[in-house]
């Protein structure tokens, strides 16, 4: 086991929890923090079951700098993987200040705490949403960014903040990972996406149609310039995505400075293709209705992942069929996600000064 640990913020969330599993499976020391507002402590218990390892966990909010400093003091940390943040596009248009405060102020406080603790490596959870409506498909990292909603702008601004820091100060390294559309669940069937309330995203919604929680899927728009009129996205398996973070951490050791990477498969699929792929996993035709476009959606977001493939020696490997099968495995075994499980973190894990 390597001596110094990786701090994972938002490690109880969907992508965070899968990344913690991959870190533990590769024998890295990990410290997880999460404020559990949008996730459940049960995810930590399930990580422990899957990996048969104890997870070092603190219930900490990234807005609580004193608590962050305490975590850095208690553990020797060499790098941070930063997932913590609010992530719903629609909500971000209704409560933009909450998004700017949580995501941007929270990240600035985290970076300050890192600086004061002499930790200078960060892997940041960005999003393909920073490209807005891209002029080139598949999208290279060199395209200009131009997010179209407050959530996306928090990702874009944070990228700028981290880049400025790496320019201003010596020996900082950052990987800004622009995720395309994460999908699927852990192959164990015990961990997956756990949306609270009505899911905003396609695959969690579709899987709730499959278990009978929702009547049908509304397909947003069928008049886009695509082969079947529905939008194209690059759906990447969450385990492949998690492994991308380990590859990015490895890159930190070369001292790359600040680098952006697209984490996607390079394969685009329409909404109707996704429904058909998921139907195959479930074994029946799920009901859907073609409805109007959703405001803010763009025609096509497909990654050119060549830079990550070459520089991180990483490639998405899991097929779409496997991704759909893993999602169905998780959803059918956990129809209510982690909702039914006790969510309270142990009292001794709480560090709170705000
Ligand atoms: C969305 C966010 C993106 C964020 C990502 C996180 C928007 C506009 N974008 O991406 O910023 O980083 O989630 O996961 O919300 N669809 C339907 N019916 C549904 C849900 C979705 O037809 O009920 C369609 C959408 O129109 C889209 C595709 O499915 O074409 C994927 O949608 P979604 O899963 O919400 O992801 P994005 O919109 O690509």
């Amino acid at each position: 086991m390597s001596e110094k640990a990786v701090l994972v913020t938002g490690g109880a969330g969907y992508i965070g929890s899968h990344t913690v599993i991959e870190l533990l499976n590769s024998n890295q020391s990990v410290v997880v923090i999460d404020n559990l507002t949008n996730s459940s402590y049960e995810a930590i218990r399930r990580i422990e079951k899957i990996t048969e390892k104890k997870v070092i966990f603190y219930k900490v909010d990234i807005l609580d700098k004193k608590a962050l400093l305490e975590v850095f003091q208690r553990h020797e940390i060499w790098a941070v993987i930063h997932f913590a943040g609010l992530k719903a596009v629609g909500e971000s248009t209704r409560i933009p200040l909450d998004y700017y405060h949580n995501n941007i102020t929270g990240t600035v406080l985290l970076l300050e705490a890192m600086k004061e603790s002499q930790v200078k490596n960060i892997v940041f959870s960005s999003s393909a949403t920073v490209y807005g409506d891209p002029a080139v498909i598949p999208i290279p990292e060199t395209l200009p960014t131009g997010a179209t909603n407050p959530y996306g702008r928090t990702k874009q601004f944070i990228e700028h903040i981290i880049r400025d820091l790496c320019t201003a100060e010596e020996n900082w390294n950052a990987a800004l990972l622009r995720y395309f559309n994460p999908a699927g669940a852990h192959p164990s069937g015990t961990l997956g996406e756990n949306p609270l309330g009505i899911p905003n995203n396609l695959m969690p919604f579709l899987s709730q149609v499959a278990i009978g929680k929702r009547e049908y899927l509304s397909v947003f728009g069928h008049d886009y310039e695509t082969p079947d009129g529905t939008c194209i996205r690059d759906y990447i398996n969450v385990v492949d995505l998690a492994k991308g973070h380990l590859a990015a951490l490895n890159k930190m050791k070369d001292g790359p400075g600040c680098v952006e990477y697209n984490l996607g498969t390079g394969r685009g699929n329409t909404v109707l293709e996704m429904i058909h792929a998921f139907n195959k996993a479930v074994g029946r035709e799920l009901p859907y209705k073609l409805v109007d476009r959703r405001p803010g959606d763009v025609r096509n977001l497909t990654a050119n992942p060549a830079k990550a493939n070459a520089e991180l020696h990483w490639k998405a490997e899991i097929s779409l069929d496997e991704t759909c099968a893993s999602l169905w495995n998780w959803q059918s075994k956990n129809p209510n996600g982690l909702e039914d499980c006790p969510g309270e973190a142990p009292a001794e894990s709480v560090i709170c000064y705000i």
Side-chain angles (χ1 to χ4, degrees), residues 89 127 129 151 181 201-202 218-220 231 233 235 294 297:
V89 174
S127 167
T129 198
Y151 158 76
N181 288 53
N201 297 114
L202 175 65
S218 296
V219 175
F220 298 139
C231 290
R233 295 288 181 272
Y235 295 89
R294 178 170 69 178
D297 276 347

Side-chain angles (χ1 to χ4, degrees), residues 3-35:
E3 264 180 43
K4 290 191 172 187
V6 178
L7 175 69
V8 180
T9 76
Y14 175 43
I15 308 171
S17 60
H18 286 80
T19 302
V20 172
I21 291 172
E22 295 306 315
L23 288 166
L24 291 171
N25 282 345
S26 69
N27 286 327
Q28 308 209 36
S29 302
V30 184
V31 176
V32 175
I33 62 171
D34 201 302
N35 68 0

Side-chain angles (χ1 to χ4, degrees), residues 9 26 86 96 109 115 155 174 273 281 331 339:
T9 76
S26 69
L86 299 176
L109 292 172
K115 185 178 161 177
K155 294 292 180 189
E273 285 170 350
Q331 184 71 82
E339 254 170 53

